[in-house]
Amino acid sequence: MFDWRKKLWTILMALACSLICVSAATAQNEKDKPETPAEPTAKPKSEGDKKDQSTAVPLPKRDEMFRNLPTKGDLLTKPPADWVVLKNDDVLVVKPVQPRPNTMVTMKARREEFLKAPSPKKLPGESAEDYAARVRQANEEKTKQLAKLETIAINLPDSTKLAEEEDSDGFTINVEKFVKEIIHHEDLMLLATDRLLDKKELEDAYELLLVQNRTSAGWPGYDERFNRLLLVDAQVKFAAGEKEQAYSLLEQMHGRVMESINSKDQTKRYPTMGDDRIKCQKELGRITDSLIEPTVAARDFRQARFHLARLLKLEADHPDGARWKERLTSETNQILALATQAAAANKHDQAALLADEAALIWPATPNLKTQHRQFGVRWQTLKVGVVTVPPNDYPFETEAIRRRERLVRLPLFDPIRIDGGAKYRSRYLEGWEPTDLGRQAVFTLRTNRSPSETHPIVTASGAVSSLLERLRPESPHFDERLASFVDGVEVRGPFEFGVKFSRIPVRTEALFAMPLGFDEASSAELDQRYRIHMKTDRATTFRRVVPESDRTLQRHLAELTELTYQTQEKAVQGLLRGEVSMLPNFPVWLLDNLQKDGRFFVRKYSVPQTHFLQFNPQSKALRVSELRRAMMYSLDRSLVLREVVLHDLTLRTISETVPKANVPAKMPSPESGLTYNDRKLELVWSGLSMTDTQLRSFQNLSRDSEWRKAVVTLYSRSQPDRGRVVSAPWSTKLAAYNSVVAPREADPYLAFALSVAAKKSLGGTLPKLRLICEPDQICLAAAQRLVDEWKRIDIPVELITQGATPAGENQVAGASGQDVLVAQNDAAGQAQPAVNEEGSEPVAWDIAYRTMRMTEPMLELWPLLSLDKVARLETVKYLPDWLRQGLINLDRTADWPTTTATLQEMHRQIAETVQLIPLWEIDDAMVFRQTVRGIPDVPLHPYQDVDSWITAPWYPTD
């Protein structure tokens, strides 16, 4: 009779020898081994007589296998294998078995379902013998099927070597009788992951989990291992000081655990999910404490509220969250009590400041919002975000200087709008009336002011003294242009004075659009409306010179604070976070997105900001016209405007009608953006705004006038909405702008030829030119781009951004004029040349990148070209004769049409001779939070009518 026990033992011994590396035990003869009824009974698929194996190695035990788990490398590189643990704790290593996962549970469920099947019923007319035979046959089939459901097929790994006479490596084994458990390959990976997590070898553990998720998604036990990985990783990162990263991992873990707890799908739930939640809560509280504690110590309560809100969002009833809420609420109430005491003592500024501080600590404090509004309405404040860059030796007025000047001082005549030219009003005058055909004017001063106004009440003696100080030649504040117009000034009464003109001015208001004060002392008496109350490295606070009366019902802005940011992005972030409620210069490329936000509103400036390059008239190299022209033609201003200044990425599709006969035979490739629609007879442009280089290449395709005209039309219509290339240093909205003078298009070939000609004129080499730039983030970026463009045609230009002028060179000219030194000459009170004559030391700068908002070119052009604040004959002696004479003739014109025509003619001449390089104008805007009211619809400057603004206190909600 065939000895099946010997056969089975031989096969199992061969399997163990080939797969499991264990120490060899003493070989025993199979014939001497006692028979045990518990040994598994397995039949080979092919019956036959087999020879006995002479030696055998015992199967490894379960505990021994668990002590020697496969390594990560074995699990990832070797073929997958399952462990079949027998009831005597012996382990068989086999190929993956089916079904999986939970093989034994699945088989048991199948058996139970099979056993529920009903027995066959007797059919009508069926005899007892037939029915009995059918029942026997059904029982035999059920027994066979049940035997199949109780056994699984196991296959030896490919590396197992059997005896030569073995012809099969497949066997079946009765699970119910002989198998204790089945550990799948995926379970081994999870066990190995546990070992790695115990050792905090996180990268290897994550790699195992990643592979398992890709190959066996949804495997039981994966979720708890991955959650444990997140927990251990968070603990490791927290110990290393990476608190934010640790918190993010815990947030991910918490979301996964709560998803399992709240899921009705039993496959997504696992036994330890409750314990995982408790562990996650504990770690969340520990890390939250470490994050909030330093922020509270640093009085950065917004950051503290942010961390606390993250915790409460995850666990609304977290004990650490409740503790911090109680602590912050208590501190808020303490500060609110101090604010109440300050208000009772009529210290309304302190009350408003304390109320703001209390609102920042914990806005959810009961009754805080009502009291905060009460204190904030009584003392209204406004925080303004401004962008500053490290200061340099820039000699001219910047946008920041002009903004602050208009806040602190109020001119005698203040421009309020633009309608071809500036329209003025005066807060000081009741009226002004010309007499004697305009040769005299009588000015009547106001004897009172409205409750919201902050400027001083000026008497006739004070106004006349200020004018006389500017008319005396020996005075350091002498205004040569004003003196050329005014013949005399007389006091006619306490609030009335008259002015006699030697020449009739075109516009009296424009001539006197200046502050009355000429120094700090006189400004405090005549025109100062806000003064600096406190200044720190981060903020400057201004307050009204004349506070509003306590009896005023409608109160207005009492305090304004400018907070400085390093970049525009940081300033925008401050606006969104509630740190500031106004940005006077909002990034143009973000305006469209912000207008959709109902929390803010936009006010566009009535005069665009014009950018231009100005040449130093004392620079020897730039006296060569070929060099100036080469620098102009080398610049694709439309491209720099689009990419650097406006960040414009808007795709445009526009068309222009062109007959087929006027279209060149060879059109550019469709990738260029320019195509022709034969059916509609239209020239179509699709893409970003067209650049100068593209325009010139498209025009060169044909000499046909209709074609070139259509291309130019597409070019102009494709330009960005919030900026445009210009040909003058003043706005296109002014009547002085000559629209016939088109901006010169970039032409690199012509620019290179002109630079070669300039080299010959300068002895064969071009000196390195020095470019100074207004300290502004956008201006500096644009200036650097211009320097790169000039290098393409071999014109060396150095951008000077910081620091003093190098030793041995003259200092950069002061903002008061090119002929005034910055330091020693100001102290001496004398005007001396800032640059020496030809042949001496080189000038400190050659080109200046400037910005302006010119409202009266007839008065502002002279100081612009002479690099001075006022018009003086001494400062224009370095200009060309025709330009100097043109400026003098402009001052002598006595009517508006002649003045406009003269300015337009000078616009044409300046553009032709390239006295400067106009770049572009920007339609920039201010942005306010909805809590601010009283802003003009189209302001001329950031702080226009600031004394009439009304601000509601902003209450933080996050």
Side-chain angles (χ1 to χ4, degrees):
M1 183 177 180
F2 175 68
D3 191 350
W4 58 269
R5 289 177 296 180
K6 291 184 179 181
K7 175 61 179 178
L8 176 59
W9 191 254
T10 302
I11 295 173
L12 295 180
M13 293 304 102
L15 176 62
C17 291
S18 59
L19 293 181
I20 308 301
C21 297
V22 295
S23 59
T26 306
Q28 297 180 354
N29 195 307
E30 182 64 17
K31 296 180 181 180
D32 299 333
K33 185 173 180 64
E35 297 182 2
T36 59
E39 280 187 330
T41 304
K43 273 190 177 182
K45 293 181 180 178
S46 59
E47 300 290 343
D49 295 336
K50 307 296 180 182
K51 294 182 180 179
D52 296 342
Q53 298 293 323
S54 59
T55 60
V57 178
L59 288 175
K61 295 296 183 180
R62 182 182 184 278
D63 294 341
E64 184 179 1
M65 295 291 287
F66 271 85
R67 286 194 298 269
N68 298 278
L69 285 175
T71 63
K72 184 198 78 170
D74 292 339
L75 291 170
L76 296 180
T77 58
K78 293 183 179 181
D82 293 348
W83 290 0
V84 178
V85 182
L86 304 178
K87 290 189 175 181
N88 63 355
D89 279 349
D90 289 342
V91 178
L92 299 177
V93 180
V94 298
K95 289 183 178 180
V97 299
Q98 297 294 336
R100 58 195 305 119
N102 299 324
T103 302
M104 299 186 68
V105 176
T106 303
M107 293 182 65
K108 182 178 180 181
R110 290 178 180 178
R111 289 196 304 271
E112 292 176 353
E113 186 68 24
F114 179 77
L115 293 174
K116 292 180 182 178
S119 301
K121 294 183 180 180
K122 186 176 181 181
L123 301 176
E126 186 178 20
S127 64
E129 293 79 3
D130 294 339
Y131 174 67
R134 189 160 61 87
V135 170
R136 285 193 302 272
Q137 183 179 0
N139 290 336
E140 291 175 0
E141 293 178 357
K142 187 174 183 179
T143 303
K144 294 179 181 180
Q145 186 65 25
L146 184 61
K148 291 182 179 180
L149 292 176
E150 292 177 349
T151 60
I152 58 171
I154 59 174
N155 295 284
L156 303 180
D158 296 337
S159 59
T160 303
K161 296 181 179 180
L162 301 179
E164 295 181 359
E165 64 273 14
E166 297 289 347
D167 56 358
S168 174
D169 61 353
F171 302 92
T172 59
I173 188 170
N174 190 304
V175 175
E176 187 70 20
K177 294 181 180 180
F178 305 111
V179 178
K180 182 178 181 180
E181 63 176 324
I182 297 177
I183 303 175
H184 297 287
H185 176 74
E186 290 80 0
D187 297 324
L188 293 175
M189 295 182 71
L190 295 178
L191 292 172
T193 301
D194 288 334
R195 296 280 180 90
L196 293 172
L197 291 177
D198 292 339
K199 300 176 183 178
K200 292 185 172 50
E201 298 178 6
L202 300 177
E203 292 185 1
D204 292 341
Y206 178 72
E207 186 176 357
L208 280 177
L209 290 175
L210 182 64
V211 172
Q212 180 166 2
N213 190 44
R214 289 178 178 175
T215 57
S216 306
W219 190 269
Y222 171 82
D223 287 336
E224 49 261 54
R225 263 67 173 203
F226 194 84
N227 291 336
R228 187 188 173 197
L229 171 68
L230 295 175
L231 179 64
V232 175
D233 196 6
Q235 292 171 341
V236 171
K237 282 183 167 52
F238 178 69
E242 301 176 6
K243 301 177 183 178
E244 288 290 349
Q245 295 87 333
Y247 201 96
S248 298
L249 292 170
L250 290 176
E251 284 181 320
Q252 184 180 355
M253 176 186 175
H254 186 274
R256 292 173 57 88
V257 172
M258 294 306 299
E259 182 181 2
S260 299
I261 293 175
N262 298 327
S263 177
K264 296 181 180 179
D265 186 357
Q266 295 300 321
T267 60
K268 293 184 178 180
R269 299 170 64 88
Y270 59 93
T272 60
M273 54 189 179
D275 294 337
D276 286 350
R277 181 183 181 183
I278 294 174
K279 294 176 182 178
C280 184
Q281 287 177 337
K282 181 180 179 181
E283 291 299 322
L284 282 171
R286 188 161 67 103
I287 297 179
T288 299
D289 285 343
S290 67
L291 289 171
I292 295 181
E293 194 67 51
T295 59
V296 171
R299 314 298 291 176
D300 187 1
F301 292 104
R302 194 179 191 282
Q303 188 73 7
R305 288 189 285 111
F306 168 75
H307 293 307
L308 182 54
R310 291 174 71 182
L311 177 63
L312 296 177
K313 183 179 179 181
L314 298 176
E315 294 284 344
D317 300 327
H318 198 286
D320 292 312
R323 175 170 52 83
W324 277 111
K325 284 174 60 177
E326 183 179 355
R327 175 176 171 180
L328 294 178
T329 301
S330 175
E331 187 166 355
T332 301
N333 287 327
Q334 292 177 8
I335 295 179
L336 191 59
L338 295 177
T340 304
Q341 295 175 6
N346 290 327
K347 298 179 180 179
H348 301 290
D349 54 342
Q350 296 183 16
L353 182 63
L354 290 170
D356 284 341
E357 184 179 355
L360 287 175
I361 296 175
W362 191 245
T365 303
N367 301 324
L368 173 60
K369 188 172 185 180
T370 302
Q371 293 180 298
H372 176 266
R373 181 173 181 82
Q374 177 184 349
F375 297 138
V377 170
R378 179 58 183 82
W379 182 267
Q380 298 183 17
T381 61
L382 177 66
K383 293 183 179 179
V384 182
V386 297
V387 179
T388 60
V389 298
N392 56 18
D393 293 331
Y394 189 71
F396 305 105
E397 280 190 347
T398 63
E399 184 79 7
I401 294 175
R402 291 189 290 267
R403 180 187 67 246
R404 185 161 297 185
E405 181 74 12
R406 299 309 295 269
L407 171 65
V408 174
R409 306 177 68 185
L410 183 67
L412 181 60
F413 285 95
D414 189 20
I416 57 174
R417 69 178 187 275
I418 296 295
D419 186 12
K423 306 300 180 183
Y424 295 86
R425 72 174 176 191
S426 177
R427 294 285 187 90
Y428 297 96
L429 300 174
E430 194 72 42
W432 57 97
E433 182 179 357
T435 61
D436 192 15
L437 300 178
R439 295 187 178 276
Q440 295 188 29
V442 178
F443 298 87
T444 304
L445 294 165
R446 293 172 56 185
T447 59
N448 54 20
R449 56 171 176 261
S450 65
S452 65
E453 292 178 334
T454 62
H455 60 274
I457 296 177
V458 179
T459 62
S461 60
V464 169
S465 299
S466 174
L467 292 176
L468 291 177
E469 184 68 20
R470 289 176 168 82
L471 296 177
R472 290 188 297 109
E474 64 274 12
S475 170
H477 309 290
F478 175 61
D479 189 335
E480 190 171 323
R481 168 182 273 165
L482 183 64
S484 68
F485 279 95
V486 178
D487 190 31
V489 184
E490 61 176 348
V491 177
R492 295 191 174 189
F495 293 95
E496 183 177 285
F497 66 93
V499 177
K500 184 178 180 180
F501 296 107
S502 58
R503 289 189 294 119
I504 301 176
V506 178
R507 305 187 68 181
T508 304
E509 300 92 334
L511 184 64
F512 291 98
M514 59 186 179
L516 291 174
F518 42 80
D519 55 25
E520 187 174 351
S522 61
S523 178
E525 297 179 357
L526 298 174
D527 59 26
Q528 189 177 37
R529 55 177 179 171
Y530 279 82
R531 62 168 173 262
I532 296 179
H533 172 70
M534 183 174 58
K535 186 174 183 180
T536 64
D537 294 338
R538 173 76 197 284
T540 304
T541 301
F542 301 87
R543 286 189 177 179
R544 285 173 173 260
V545 173
V546 181
E548 288 186 300
S549 171
D550 291 338
R551 293 174 295 178
T552 302
L553 296 179
Q554 177 59 68
R555 311 199 70 84
H556 300 83
L557 183 66
E559 180 178 294
L560 185 145
T561 301
E562 289 188 347
L563 296 177
T564 59
Y565 294 91
Q566 297 300 319
T567 63
Q568 287 186 324
E569 291 75 14
K570 291 292 185 182
V572 174
Q573 186 182 47
L575 178 68
L576 298 176
R577 295 176 60 182
E579 295 177 0
V580 296
S581 297
M582 171 189 173
L583 289 184
N585 297 100
F586 195 82
V588 181
W589 58 90
L590 297 178
L591 278 174
D592 291 336
N593 294 331
L594 193 78
Q595 285 178 330
K596 302 174 184 177
D597 194 328
R599 297 174 296 172
F600 310 99
F601 66 92
V602 176
R603 286 290 184 266
K604 181 181 176 182
Y605 289 110
S606 60
V607 177
Q609 185 187 62
T610 305
H611 296 225
F612 60 94
L613 298 175
Q614 187 166 8
F615 303 119
N616 191 334
Q618 289 302 295
S619 175
K620 178 182 177 182
L622 290 173
R623 293 175 185 172
V624 179
S625 62
E626 290 83 1
L627 179 57
R628 301 197 304 271
R629 294 176 185 274
M631 299 183 74
M632 180 187 64
Y633 281 112
S634 66
L635 300 179
D636 192 339
R637 289 171 285 179
S638 59
L639 182 62
V640 180
L641 172 65
R642 184 186 77 187
E643 295 183 351
V644 179
V645 180
L646 299 181
H647 295 198
D648 188 86
L649 299 176
T650 305
L651 296 176
R652 299 168 174 84
T653 300
I654 53 179
S655 59
E656 180 69 13
T657 302
V658 180
K660 180 66 175 177
N662 301 103
V663 178
K666 186 178 180 181
M667 285 287 293
S669 63
E671 290 76 11
S672 66
L674 191 68
T675 57
Y676 185 73
N677 190 325
D678 293 324
R679 184 174 59 86
K680 295 184 178 181
L681 301 180
E682 288 180 343
L683 188 64
V684 181
W685 166 256
S686 298
L688 302 176
S689 58
M690 191 182 298
T691 65
D692 289 353
T693 303
Q694 291 171 325
L695 171 63
R696 181 168 293 277
S697 64
F698 296 151
Q699 283 182 319
N700 291 337
L701 295 175
S702 174
R703 295 286 184 181
D704 184 82
S705 60
E706 292 294 330
W707 164 263
R708 298 173 71 88
K709 180 180 178 181
V711 173
V712 172
T713 301
L714 290 181
Y715 169 81
S716 59
R717 290 170 58 192
S718 73
Q719 296 309 297
D721 298 330
R722 299 190 181 274
R724 62 207 59 86
V725 178
V726 295
S727 57
W730 53 81
S731 171
T732 56
K733 294 184 176 182
L734 299 176
Y737 190 89
N738 192 344
S739 58
V740 177
V741 181
R744 300 293 177 90
E745 303 166 5
D747 190 341
Y749 300 104
L750 177 59
F752 184 76
L754 289 170
S755 68
V756 173
K759 285 182 182 179
K760 294 182 179 179
S761 301
L762 294 171
T765 58
L766 291 177
K768 178 178 287 189
L769 304 177
R770 307 185 69 196
L771 170 66
I772 59 175
C773 179
E774 180 166 336
D776 176 82
Q777 183 180 356
I778 295 298
C779 295
L780 289 170
Q784 185 58 57
R785 181 67 174 270
L786 300 182
V787 170
D788 296 338
E789 293 295 324
W790 285 324
K791 287 182 180 179
R792 296 176 184 272
I793 59 170
D794 201 22
I795 297 180
V797 180
E798 176 187 6
L799 176 60
I800 301 182
T801 56
Q802 289 191 60
T805 307
E809 297 189 7
N810 295 290
Q811 297 293 319
V812 179
S816 59
Q818 176 191 319
D819 58 343
V820 179
L821 290 174
V822 172
Q824 64 270 27
N825 293 338
D826 285 346
Q830 300 176 353
Q832 298 180 7
V835 291
N836 298 328
E837 296 299 328
E838 186 174 339
S840 61
E841 295 180 354
V843 295
W845 59 273
D846 299 279
I847 312 168
Y849 187 115
R850 301 184 62 182
T851 64
M852 288 194 71
R853 297 185 194 273
M854 197 177 295
T855 57
E856 283 290 1
M858 65 177 181
L859 296 177
E860 296 178 63
L861 183 58
W862 186 319
L864 170 69
L865 295 176
S866 62
L867 309 177
D868 205 346
K869 283 187 174 182
V870 296
R872 293 186 295 167
L873 287 174
E874 180 69 18
T875 59
V876 297
K877 66 180 182 179
Y878 304 109
L879 299 178
D881 293 341
W882 66 268
L883 183 56
R884 183 167 62 250
Q885 189 61 44
L887 292 174
I888 295 174
N889 292 339
L890 180 64
D891 254 16
R892 292 178 177 174
T893 56
D895 62 283
W896 179 249
T898 304
T899 300
T900 302
T902 303
L903 283 169
Q904 291 183 352
E905 178 62 20
M906 293 190 69
H907 174 185
R908 184 187 64 80
Q909 293 176 342
I910 291 173
E912 286 184 354
T913 58
V914 196
Q915 295 301 315
L916 44 78
I917 302 180
L919 297 174
W920 43 73
E921 65 178 11
I922 308 300
D923 296 330
D924 54 347
M926 300 183 291
V927 173
F928 294 85
R929 194 173 289 277
Q930 292 287 1
T931 55
V932 187
R933 293 184 290 140
I935 314 299
D937 292 336
V938 189
L940 271 171
H941 57 85
Y943 296 132
Q944 183 173 333
D945 298 339
V946 66
D947 47 9
S948 301
W949 292 3
I950 300 173
T951 62
W954 177 76
Y955 195 79
T957 58
D958 56 351

